[in-house]
Structure formats: structure tokens, C-alpha cells
């Protein structure tokens, strides 16, 4: 007789062995080192750090290795590690005008103070598979111009702002903003909470939403005020010292999106901001984030909320890849109790309908 | 490579029961609020767990916040102790919380469950922890949290009554089979999690404490012992549970919730208890 | 100079065991539970109140102290072991520690809002004893029918305050009575008869 499947314990143990084996792949090939992942798959590391909310290249590289390159799985691994770490406090806000920029472009002005720096970008590569990469071989070092690390890099937005053409950024209120990894998301959310959510949000989801605003679903006429990528210092004020110390330098990508705004009530027409920030080099993410940030300001700016990207509850509740991936994939778990419940109900309903139909036929025959 | 991360050994890097003490305190406070306001969904700062969202992270966080070395833990999924996810969660706690585990309902002090309430009646002092996917009973009628919060604040549950009544108008009966909404202590409408409605009567006036954890949605709610839990219905269409004309092929029970299995290519069916512990206890009792 | 009393001997496990006794008290309103792990007594705080504070209070939960329980010793203890901010504003407190000498006892604490009734305070009232006082009958969630409490040293006016608090449900404060190493809970859902 058939008996319900037993031995889940053994099955799981075997499955763990199998996935570890798959991860390693053919044993005659050298195993990837974390340094190799960090150096040669650096953009994957950047994405995992950004959406994993944890700036640690070696941990992100480990997560990517363990997840066999599945970045959403790697983000999950890093998040689950991060969540157990003790908190010492909040760093001081990053000052991106102090960035040592490797790349910095504006699409609103031909030239800007500090200059346009193209830097490393795929933008102007021709997307032709480079078969020379399939073979081993050393590549020459790229020539680089000397970088003036002491030079302050004013934001293009600040220049527009002085003219009154661009809204000023929200004033700092001196309060530490709510940490969405420690406190539950409550709607309606304020902008710092939304930006945290978007920074952790899935790049694909934000990209699609940002794209939708360009196709008329909540259009906000965006221009890239500026994108910059480079190193910024992170500072922290320990309670016992009472003064700022520099902890590290991290790579970030920042996008200041400038958007047309018709004005409202007593605000004259001016440009408004959408903001994006990501760890490492992640322009697509930072731009998509800036578009969605601006779209989510619809209510604040008295715009009609007509499209998904403007809908705070919709966006913030569905942006997280770890949540989304878990809940979609939980459908793989057994649901036979619920299904059995439905079967019983559907059978009863069908039986009643058949019974009624049969009776109707009999009644008709009797007439 | 920096040597600050101990990546070689997986356990020692983590606190007892995985969660750090700060997180446990936060969850414990939420649990006390949940018990004080039965059926109300308390938002809590849910954490990423090492298991995926949707796979019991809410229940796991609740269990991790309450469990201690004196506890005996039972974990079931679909009523069974041996389904893979139940095994996985039980292994997790045996490892991180150094806790005794059991499959016997009566021996357990904490029972974490997905989609079932054990058939064996629970006792005072036991805690039943439910894994909850969607804590909001009104979510499928109103997707916005800001709206549903207001509806709960106003005790405005007419929408659910209408939805159930539409089902009667269409089918002649309420077609909702699982996750059947209940009213707790006459005040809050609550999702009992996707248990079959067969289990709803067990929630009412139960001697055990019921804790509900929704990890992805970051909500905790509770039903204290001896609390009225009423399944919604109408005077002319009273609440009723599933029945089977078959009995369990293993233990002969006519009273328990039965799982249906297809045993051959012709679609021949076999029915067995979904609650594996209950079924085994009965089979053993039958032996001379 | 004030001395700093020791916290729990085994913080993680002691807090877990104390929490379970508190959870039992909340789940069975009116039931007297003995806290299973004691910290060193601190100032005028009872062992039960001290254990409760060590178990649920931390830097995320502002604490309000009544003047007759307040002392440099208690403040130092709370700050060192929990990191909780000690606040003067009753409305800002997540937890409050007081004795029946405060009148009215429940006045000014956060009661939550209709959409978020959990944003309310938990008030710990230290009394001389949990037994031997006038008898009151409790009914509500967690109680099989009814149960009786005989809290000592509690003025009658408390119970009219409680009736008003009960009427706010789902808003309102939750109360924990502490004496010696025992405590009992009175969640806002509980109705009281004399």
C-alpha cells in the first residue's frame, strides 16, 4: 500500500550535498577565489552589497560564490548575515561633494564646474562579443589622468538651485531617520524611508517602474542632472569620543535626476529632484531609483496619482527581491491541506449543480 | 581577505536561538502587545531569517523569541512532522537553540505549525505558533494597508460579510475553504492563517496560547487562552466544516482532517489523516 | 558614590525564562507568576520589577520613573544594563515604573491610536503584595470564566481608572503589578468587577 512520503530528513541532507556538489562544478577546474570574484565580477559584488545593504566586498563575493552566481540568492545570504550584526550607531551622512570621482557626467549642461569625466563605462562599447576574452592573456593597464583628490566637486543641482530653478533638497532635521531594517514599514512612509526601501529594492523591479514613467505611466520629464561614481569617506562619531573619525572610504554611485514641474498652489514652475544612490558602480540602479523616487513624490507635489510607479504602497510593498522571491517560491511548499479543503468544497458545489440540472431535466420531462 | 568574519564555522558566529538579544526583546514586546489586544496585528521589525520569506520566517522569529532550553519543540507542516519544511525548521532550532524536539503533540511545549491545528486537544501552558503568509484578513478585498488599518480601527467588516454573502448567492453556500475569517473576542477580524476551515472550531476557547507570526509582512498577532473565536457566518447559513464519506486508511479515524492521495494511474484515491502524530497514536493504541 | 548592581547572571537565558513567565502572566490575567531569574536588587525596585525591566526594556523604549522609585542608583542601573532613555514626559514613555502613591496612577501615558493601539505604554505598578488585599473579579481573554485578584495596597480609585482604561479598548495601557519576586498582569482587554 502507498504510504505518505517519509524520510524528509534524509532527502534534505542529500539535497544539501547535491547543491554543494553542483556549486563546485567539475573538480578538474580551479576553484574561484573570493578575490577573483571581487576583482573580475565587481559589478555583481556591487549589486549584492547594494541590495544586501551591507558594504563588504569579501562577504558579498562569498555570497555570490555560495549562490553559484544567483545574485538574488546572494543578496538573501548577505541580508541574513547582516541582520544578526550588532548596531553601534549611525554614521554621519555621506558628503558626495567630497567624492573622488572616477566618473561624472551631466546631461543638462555641456560643461559643468569640475568637468565631465567619462571614466569607465559600457555606454560607448559596441556590444560585440570580445572573443579575445575567451583566451587567457594579459591586458595592458589603462592610462589614467591624475585625479585631484582635494578638489571639491559641486553638484550640478546646487548650481541650478541657487538660481531658484530647482527646489532645494529637504532640510536636515538633525534626527536620525528610521531604520527600515529594524522597524516595520508603516504607510504612508516619509521620503527617507522610501529611499531606504528603494536602495534595497530589486534593480529589475525599479528599472521596469522607472521605465514605465518614461512611457507615460506617471511621466515626470526627467533629465540626468548628474551621475557621479567614486570614493567617499564614511565618518562616525563615537559616543565616548564626541568627535568625528573617518572609518573607511566606500565606492558609491549617485544620481541626481532633475524633473520638470508645472508648479502648484503657490509654488512657481521649477525643477524638482529625484534621487538615487547605490554602493559601488551601479548607474542603472541609481537612475531607476531616482525616477521612482520622483514618481513617489506625486502626493507631496499635488500631482494626480494615476500610475503604479506613483503608488507608494504598491511600490514599497513589492520592491524587495528577498520578500518577493521567498513568497513566490513558497508555492513549492506542500499545500495539500488547503488544496484538499478546496477539493471538498468544489466537489460539493459541483454535486449540487449536477443535482439541480438533473432535477430540471426530470421536471421538464414531467411537464 | 580580512579575517574579521568567521566564515569557517557557521554556528558559533550566532547568538542563542539565532536572533540577537535586541531583536528578541523587540519581538517579545510585540508579542505582549498582541496578547493584550487579541486579534490585532502588531507591526514588528521583522528580520531577514536564514530561511526564505514565505517559508515560515514569521513563525520562526516568534519561536526564536520565546524558546528556551527547557522547551520541547514540535514542528508540523500540513499537519505532518515529516514534511521537508517541518524537518528543516525543526533541524534549525535543534541546532541554534539546543532544544529537545518531539513529534508528539502532548509532549510539546511549543508547536510551530503551517496550515493545521493538531487534532489532539491542546493543554494550558502549550504555545501554538502559526506561520502566516498574509496576516490581513481583508487583504484580498482591499490591497491597501492604509485602508485596511482604518477598517479595523472602525470595526468596519461589512465588506467581508458582503463577500461571503455573494458566495452564498452564487453557489448556495460559502465557498471559502481555508483561511476562513474569524472574529476574535467580538472585536478584531483575524486571519487564522491558511488552515482548513475544519480547524477553525479548535481556535475557539482553546486552553493553549496561539501566536501568529507573519515574517514578510512583519506582523504578530495572538489569541490568548480561553478567548472566543467565531467563524463568520449568517443566521440562515451557519458556519460548517468539511466532511468526508471516507475514513483514514491507516487508523480508521472518521473525525480527523483527511489528505487525499492518488495511488495509481487510474486515479484511485486513498484518504489518510493529515495529522501524522494523531494517526500514529491511534494506530499504536489499536495494537494489542 | 553609587554602586552598580549586577544584571542577570546569564543574560540570554535568564531573559528568556523571565519573558516566558511574563508571557504566562499576560496570557492568564490575574495569575500570579514568580520570576524565575533574579538580578541584584536595585534601589527601591522589587526583584520582579527589576527582572521585568532587564527583560523588555532597552534603548528603543523610553522609560518613565515615578519620583518615589527614582534614584541615581536606579538610573545608573537602567542606563548601564538596558541603555533606555529615562524620560520626564509620561506621554513619551513605552514603559513606566510607579507605585500607588502616584495619583491618578494611569494618567498621561500613551494609549495608542485606533489604527495603532500598540503604540501605548506598559505601566509597572509596584505594590506591597499581590495577595491579601480586597477581592476583585476579572473577566476577559485569557481567563476561563472568571478569576479573582486580591492585590494589596491599591486604592479603590485605581479600579475606576481601570474601568475608564478598559472603555478605551483597543486603546489603553497594560498594567503589570509587581511585588517581591512575583508579578501579575492586567492587559487592557480585562474587565473588572468588585
Amino acid at each position: 500500500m502507498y504510504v505518505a512520503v517519509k524520510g524528509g530528513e534524509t532527502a534534505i541532507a542529500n539535497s544539501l550535498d547535491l547543491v554543494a556538489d553542483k556549486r563546485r562544478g567539475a573538480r578538474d577546474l580551479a576553484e574561484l577565489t573570493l578575490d577573483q570574484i571581487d576583482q573580475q565580477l565587481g559589478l555583481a559584488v556591487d549589486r549584492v552589497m547594494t541590495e544586501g545593504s551591507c558594504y563588504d566586498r569579501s562577504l558579498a563575493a562569498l555570497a555570490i560564490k555560495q549562490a553559484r552566481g544567483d545574485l538574488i540568492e546572494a543578496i538573501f545570504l548577505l541580508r541574513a548575515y547582516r541582520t544578526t550584526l550588532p548596531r553601534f550607531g549611525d554614521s554621519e551622512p555621506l558628503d558626495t561633494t567630497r567624492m573622488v570621482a572616477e566618473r561624472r557626467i551631466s546631461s543638462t549642461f555641456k560643461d559643468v564646474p569640475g568637468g565631465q569625466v567619462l571614466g569607465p563605462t559600457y555606454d560607448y562599447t559596441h556590444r560585440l562579443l570580445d572573443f579575445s576574452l575567451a583566451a587567457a592573456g594579459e591586458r595592458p593597464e589603462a592610462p589614467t589622468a591624475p585625479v585631484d583628490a582635494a578638489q571639491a566637486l559641486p553638484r550640478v543641482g546646487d548650481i541650478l538651485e541657487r538660481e531658484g530653478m530647482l527646489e532645494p533638497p529637504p532640510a536636515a532635521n538633525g534626527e536620525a531617520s528610521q531604520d527600515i531594517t529594524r522597524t516595520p514599514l508603516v504607510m504612508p512612509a516619509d521620503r527617507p524611508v522610501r529611499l531606504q526601501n528603494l536602495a534595497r529594492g530589486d534593480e529589475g523591479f525599479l528599472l521596469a517602474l522607472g521605465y514605465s514613467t518614461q512611457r507615460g505611466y506617471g511621466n515626470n520629464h526627467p533629465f540626468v542632472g548628474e551621475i557621479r561614481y567614486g570614493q567617499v569617506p564614511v565618518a562616525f562619531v563615537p559616543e565616548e569620543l564626541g568627535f568625528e573619525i573617518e572609518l573607511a572610504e566606500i565606492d558609491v554611485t549617485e544620481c541626481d535626476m532633475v524633473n520638470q514641474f508645472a508648479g502648484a498652489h503657490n509654488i512657481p514652475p521649477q525643477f524638482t529632484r529625484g534621487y538615487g544612490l547605490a554602493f559601488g558602480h551601479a548607474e542603472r540602479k541609481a537612475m531607476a531609483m531616482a525616477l521612482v523616487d520622483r514618481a513617489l513624490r506625486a502626493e507631496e507635489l499635488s500631482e494626480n496619482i494615476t500610475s503604479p510607479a506613483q503608488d507608494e504602497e504598491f511600490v514599497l510593498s513589492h520592491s524587495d527581491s528577498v520578500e518577493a522571491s521567498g513568497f513566490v517560491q513558497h508555492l513549492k511548499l506542500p499545500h495539500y491541506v488547503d488544496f484538499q479543503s478546496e477539493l471538498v468544497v468544489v466537489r460539493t458545489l459541483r454535486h449540487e449543480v449536477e443535482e439541480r440540472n438533473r432535477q430540471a431535466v426530470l421536471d421538464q420531462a414531467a411537464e | 581577505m580580512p579575517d574579521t568574519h568567521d566564515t569557517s564555522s557557521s554556528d558559533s558566529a550566532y547568538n542563542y536561538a539565532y536572533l540577537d538579544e535586541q531583536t528578541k526583546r523587540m519581538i517579545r514586546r510585540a508579542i505582549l502587545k498582541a496578547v493584550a489586544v487579541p486579534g490585532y496585528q502588531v507591526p514588528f521589525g521583522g528580520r531577514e531569517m536564514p530561511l526564505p520569506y514565505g517559508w515560515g520566517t514569521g513563525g520562526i522569529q516568534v519561536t526564536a523569541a520565546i524558546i528556551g532550553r527547557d522547551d520541547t519543540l514540535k514542528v508540523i507542516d500540513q499537519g505532518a512532522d515529516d514534511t521537508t519544511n517541518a524537518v528543516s525548521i525543526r533541524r534549525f532550532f535543534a541546532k541554534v537553540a539546543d532544544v529537545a524536539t518531539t513529534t508528539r503533540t502532548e509532549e510539546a511545549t511549543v508547536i510551530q505549525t503551517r496550515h493545521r491545528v493538531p487534532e489532539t486537544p491542546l493543554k494550558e501552558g502549550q504555545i501554538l505558533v502559526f506561520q502566516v503568509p498574509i496576516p490581513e484578513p481583508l487583504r484580498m478585498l482591499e490591497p491597501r494597508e492604509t485602508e485596511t488599518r482604518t477598517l479595523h480601527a472602525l470595526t468596519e467588516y461589512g465588506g467581508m460579510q458582503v463577500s461571503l454573502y455573494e458566495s452564498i448567492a452564487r453557489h448556495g453556500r460559502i465557498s471559502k475553504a481555508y483561511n476562513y475569517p474569524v472574529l476574535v473576542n467580538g472585536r478584531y477580524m483575524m486571519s487564522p492563517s491558511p488552515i482548513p476551515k475544519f480547524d477553525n472550531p479548535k481556535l475557539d476557547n482553546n486552553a493553549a496560547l496561539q501566536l501568529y507570526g507573519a515574517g514578510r509582512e512583519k506582523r504578530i498577532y495572538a489569541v490568548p487562552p480561553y478567548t472566543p473565536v467565531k467563524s463568520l457566518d449568517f443566521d440562515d447559513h451557519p458556519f460548517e466544516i468539511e466532511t468526508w464519506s471516507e475514513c483514514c486508511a491507516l487508523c480508521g479515524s472518521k473525525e480527523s482532517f483527511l489528505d487525499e492521495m492518488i495511488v495509481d494511474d487510474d486515479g484511485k484515491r486513498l484518504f489518510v489523516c493529515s495529522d501524522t502524530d494523531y494517526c500514529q497514536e491511534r494506530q499504536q493504541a489499536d495494537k494489542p | 558614590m553609587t554602586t552598580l548592581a549586577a544584571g542577570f547572571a546569564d543574560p540570554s537565558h535568564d531573559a528568556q525564562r523571565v519573558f516566558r513567565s511574563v508571557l504566562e502572566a499576560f496570557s492568564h490575567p490575574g495569575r500570579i507568576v514568580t520570576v524565575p531569574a533574579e538580578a541584584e536588587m536595585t534601589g527601591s525596585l522589587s526583584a520582579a520589577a527589576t527582572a521585568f525591566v532587564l527583560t523588555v526594556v532597552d534603548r528603543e523604549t523610553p522609560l518613565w520613573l515615578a519620583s518615589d522609585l527614582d534614584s541615581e542608583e536606579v538610573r545608573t542601573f537602567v542606563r548601564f544594563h538596558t541603555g533606555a532613555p529615562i524620560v520626564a514626559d509620561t506621554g513619551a514613555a513605552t514603559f513606566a515604573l510607579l507605585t500607588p502613591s502616584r495619583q491618578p496612577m494611569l494618567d498621561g501615558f500613551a494609549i495608542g491610536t485606533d489604527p495603532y493601539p500598540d503604540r501605548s505604554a506598559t505601566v509597572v505598578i509596584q505594590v506591597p503584595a499581590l495577595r491579601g488585599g480586597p477581592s476583585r473579579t476579572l473577566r476577559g481573554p485569557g481567563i476561563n470564566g472568571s478569576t479573582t485578584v486580591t492585590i494589596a495596597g491599591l486604592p479603590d480609585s485605581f479600579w475606576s481608572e481601570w474601568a475608564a482604561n478598559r472603555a478605551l479598548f483597543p486603546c489603553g495601557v497594560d498594567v503589570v503589578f509587581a511585588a517581591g519576586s512575583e508579578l501579575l498582569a492586567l492587559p487592557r482587554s480585562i474587565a473588572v468587577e468588585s
Side-chain angles (χ1 to χ4, degrees), chain C:
Chain C
M1 202 189 117
T2 55
T3 50
L4 179 64
F8 286 138
D10 186 357
S12 176
H13 298 287
D14 286 352
Q16 186 272 334
R17 292 192 299 142
V18 172
F19 173 71
R20 285 291 282 278
S21 67
V22 172
L23 181 59
E24 182 187 351
F26 269 75
S27 307
H28 300 277
R31 177 182 292 182
I32 295 171
V33 300
T34 304
V35 299
E38 291 193 8
E40 236 175 278
M41 297 279 287
T42 305
S44 40
L45 294 189
S46 64
T50 307
F52 182 83
V53 165
L54 289 174
T55 300
V56 295
V57 174
D58 61 31
R59 50 190 280 254
E60 293 174 354
T61 57
L63 176 72
W64 184 88
L65 278 173
S67 54
D68 56 342
L69 292 176
D70 197 353
S71 66
E72 200 46 44
E73 192 184 352
V74 170
R75 283 176 175 255
T76 310
F77 180 87
V78 167
R79 284 209 194 93
F80 181 81
H81 288 294
T82 74
I86 295 172
V87 290
D89 173 10
T90 47
T94 311
F95 291 97
L97 288 176
L98 53 92
T99 71
S101 64
R102 178 180 197 254
Q103 288 295 330
M105 296 171 76
L106 305 181
D107 200 39
F109 296 113
I111 57 164
T113 61
D114 285 332
Y116 293 98
D118 56 302
R119 295 176 181 174
S120 57
T122 303
V123 179
V124 180
I125 303 177
Q126 193 163 296
V127 291
L130 300 180
R131 298 179 180 81
S135 168
R136 299 280 165 167
T137 302
L138 314 186
R139 289 178 198 281
I143 300 170
N144 195 2
S146 68
T147 189
T148 306
V149 292
T150 58
I151 301 163
L154 201 58
D156 272 358
S157 62
F158 172 81
W159 297 110
S160 34
E161 278 192 68
W162 184 258
N165 184 63
R166 172 73 186 80
L168 298 170
F169 190 88
C171 293
V173 299
D174 305 311
V175 168
V176 174
F177 290 102
S181 57
E182 293 181 329
L183 53 81
L184 75 78
L186 196 55
R188 68 192 78 173
S189 57
I190 298 304
V192 177
E193 302 154 18
S194 48

Side-chain angles (χ1 to χ4, degrees), chain A residues 22-75:
Chain A
K22 279 275 185 199
R23 188 206 62 73
R24 177 60 183 86
R27 301 299 198 275
D28 55 343
L29 290 172
E31 178 143 11
L32 270 176
T33 69
L34 301 193
D35 288 335
Q36 285 174 328
I37 295 170
D38 174 5
Q39 290 298 306
Q40 296 174 38
L41 298 174
L43 295 181
V45 169
D46 290 345
R47 179 169 177 192
V48 170
M49 292 195 305
T50 298
E51 295 177 32
S53 307
C54 181
Y55 197 100
D56 188 315
R57 300 197 70 84
S58 58
L59 284 181
L62 173 61
I64 291 167
K65 177 171 173 173
Q66 189 177 331
R68 296 164 63 201
D70 177 341
L71 297 190
I72 289 179
E73 181 69 21
I75 290 160

